[in-house]
DNA sequence: CTAAATGCAAAATCTTTGCAGCCTC
DNA sequence: GAGGCTGCAAAGATTTTGCATTTAG
């Protein structure tokens, strides 16, 4: 009997991917596709936007990064290694920062009035960051 | 001295706008452009998507509705008349619901460690809605 | 009647995909 | 070497805009 087709794809290590991962993990908060592209081009000027999109997709699938979407409608990406944390968006500069602390204690699992079973939550703060004070 | 140009545009009441406003305000939670279009077409089958986009933009500008963006990346719209409230997104059906109650008490204004001055916050829960239990 | 609003289709954006050549393994 | 990766450009998808016609006031 022939063995089943493995759906695992061999992935190779490339300068592009290493650079994109580094740019995302070194950021103080989640960043957009455009920001990733701009930052990574400092290392690889020829980097194409398609490669950025493809790499983000790959990193999302293999669980290296995760998506953060705030009310400006843009998707941002951050390391999935970060534990439970929340975000702060500065209305002045528009940047998003990771918060070390969690100002509220919410049980991870709970049921809300109305019959909503909660398994996770997300909290985002808005205001002014220290740099823009 | 001539009076300054008024930037106020005369807006007219149309069936399209009335219908779109009604669809948004009657929804149990924020809904997407596509949902608005589909629901409004039940009343006005000829309604064009461009009119939906233009009306949403108008309603956002005059403060009738507001945008809600969750991690699925889609923008949703809801009545701006709703007070401070939070959202619940069902992982099963994907719909978003308004929550009447606020399970956490957060001071609207506060400063977080690191020097972040907060003026607002947003909380979203994920899980299963009563219909999908 | 006058000018705002609509519907349609073209244009502008943003993201994905096809391909030939390049580069890991 | 073989097949995954990349850059480029074409293709899709989503949102905006131009324009002639319709319609509110």
């Amino acid at each position: 009997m022939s063995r089943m087709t493995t759906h695992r794809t061999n992935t190779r290590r490339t300068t592009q991917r290493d650079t994109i991962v580094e740019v995302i993990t070194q950021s103080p908060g989640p960043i957009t596709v455009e920001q990733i592209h701009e930052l990574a081009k400092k290392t690889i000027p020829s980097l194409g936007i398609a490669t950025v999109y493809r790499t983000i997709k790959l990193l999302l699938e293999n669980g290296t990064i995760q998506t953060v979407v705030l009310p400006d409608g843009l998707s941002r990406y951050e390391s999935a290694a970060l534990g439970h944390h929340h975000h702060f968006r500065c209305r002045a500069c528009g940047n998003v920062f990771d918060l070390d602390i969690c100002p509220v204690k919410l049980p991870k699992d709970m049921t809300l009035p109305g019959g909503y079973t909660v398994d996770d939550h997300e909290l985002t703060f808005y205001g002014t960051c220290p740099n823009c004070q």
Side-chain angles (χ1 to χ4, degrees), chain A:
Chain A
M1 183 190 237
S2 65
R3 70 171 184 282
M4 284 179 69
T5 304
T6 75
H7 289 285
R8 190 178 67 74
T9 305
N10 291 322
T11 57
R12 292 175 179 178
R13 184 170 193 175
T14 65
T15 307
Q16 285 83 345
R17 289 182 181 175
D18 284 350
T19 302
I20 290 171
V21 169
E22 174 150 337
V23 160
I24 294 174
T25 56
Q26 295 304 304
S27 172
I31 52 179
T32 64
V33 170
E34 187 183 348
Q35 290 175 309
I36 294 168
H37 190 206
E38 287 309 312
L39 290 169
K41 278 203 291 188
K42 290 181 180 175
T43 302
I44 313 171
S46 65
L47 180 65
I49 189 70
T51 297
V52 176
Y53 278 109
R54 278 187 287 229
T55 302
I56 287 173
K57 189 174 184 179
L58 176 76
L59 296 174
L60 284 172
E61 287 170 352
N62 70 22
T64 302
I65 65 173
Q66 57 192 349
T67 308
V68 175
V69 183
L70 303 186
D72 63 2
L74 291 176
S75 290
R76 282 172 236 260
Y77 305 91
E78 67 180 3
S79 167
L82 297 168
H84 176 74
H85 69 287
H86 299 300
H87 296 108
F88 177 94
R89 177 155 200 255
C90 178
R91 296 187 194 282
C93 63
N95 287 326
V96 179
F97 303 90
D98 295 318
L99 294 177
D100 302 339
I101 48 79
C102 178
V104 291
K105 304 287 176 283
L106 286 178
K108 197 168 191 319
D109 295 290
M110 59 191 286
T111 298
L112 299 175
Y116 298 93
T117 305
V118 174
D119 61 52
D120 200 6
H121 69 269
E122 204 168 279
L123 180 58
T124 306
F125 294 94
Y126 300 90
T128 312
C129 74
N131 303 322
C132 295
Q133 294 291 351

